[in-house]
Amino acid sequence: MSEGAIIDGNDVLIVVDVQNDFCPGGALAVPRGDEIVPIVNRLAARFHNVVLTQDWHPPGHFSFASTHPGRNAFETVAAPYGPQVLWPNHCVQGTPGAAFHSALDIPHAALVLRKGMERAIDSYSAFYENDRTTPTGLSGYFAAFHGCFWPASPSTFVSATRRRTHGVKALPFSSSRTPAAAST
Ligand SMILES: [Zn+2]
């Protein structure tokens, strides 16, 4: 987005998973991931509406390699919803790694949405778990507070977002993971 982009009160910025475990020194670090934090802060200051998402896994989550004896991180296993990459343990509920980066400064964020809480399903999207049918609840928030009727399918949402028909902008963060966390 250019500095000159027009942002109005109907626009919402979704900040995805700016957490310690995805920053250098974290369990699943994105190289130089911490460098995005001041940019996110500056961008968020321009939005009246900001939503933060937080990867928030229970111990023993299906996406953890440690949950699958004999398997290693970054291998792929079959899940009912398709291939699942195995990750190091990360963003375990209540741990320092699951906390937002300490420099993230968005006090006016209206909603912190935790995802990946279902033990058997991973969650990259802010809107749907990886089975592409289980909602995270974010669409309900938009319906209640912003009057948006959200498309039923993630793929429809992607096209809607790109057309900005709902005035939502997604800010990618964990872009080294596939599928990109903020692409849906
Ligand atoms: Zn995760």
Side-chain angles (χ1 to χ4, degrees):
M1 184 188 330
S2 72
E3 286 294 322
I6 296 172
I7 299 167
D8 64 32
N10 292 319
D11 287 332
V12 179
L13 177 70
I14 304 172
V15 180
V16 178
D17 299 359
V18 186
Q19 295 168 252
N20 289 328
D21 270 344
F22 296 133
C23 293
L28 186 51
V30 176
R32 302 172 62 191
D34 54 332
E35 295 180 12
I36 200 173
V37 176
I39 300 170
V40 171
N41 289 341
R42 193 166 66 243
L43 186 61
R46 300 173 59 197
F47 282 79
H48 178 70
N49 305 305
V50 182
V51 171
L52 310 179
T53 72
Q54 193 170 25
D55 212 27
W56 197 252
H57 298 308
H61 191 255
F62 182 80
S63 74
F64 295 169
S66 63
T67 302
H68 305 265
R71 307 304 296 263
N72 296 311
F74 309 109
E75 292 182 8
T76 300
V77 298
Y81 49 81
Q84 169 68 51
V85 176
L86 298 179
W87 307 111
N89 294 4
H90 67 280
C91 296
V92 176
Q93 296 169 359
T95 64
F100 290 119
H101 189 283
S102 61
L104 192 68
D105 184 20
I106 313 177
H108 62 292
L111 174 69
V112 175
L113 183 102
R114 289 171 168 167
K115 61 186 183 58
M117 298 177 67
E118 295 290 334
R119 190 178 300 275
I121 313 175
D122 207 2
S123 183
Y124 300 150
S125 166
F127 288 88
Y128 290 91
E129 307 280 14
N130 281 12
D131 61 2
R132 297 181 178 270
T133 57
T134 304
T136 63
L138 186 54
S139 59
Y141 167 79
F142 279 109
F145 292 98
H146 296 283
C148 298
F149 181 73
W150 227 235
S153 82
S155 58
T156 306
F157 168 72
V158 170
S159 62
T161 301
R162 288 176 178 159
R163 292 198 310 269
R164 292 196 62 220
T165 54
H166 295 283
V168 170
K169 301 173 181 69
L171 180 70
F173 177 68
S174 302
S175 56
S176 69
R177 297 194 294 165
T178 54
S183 66
T184 58

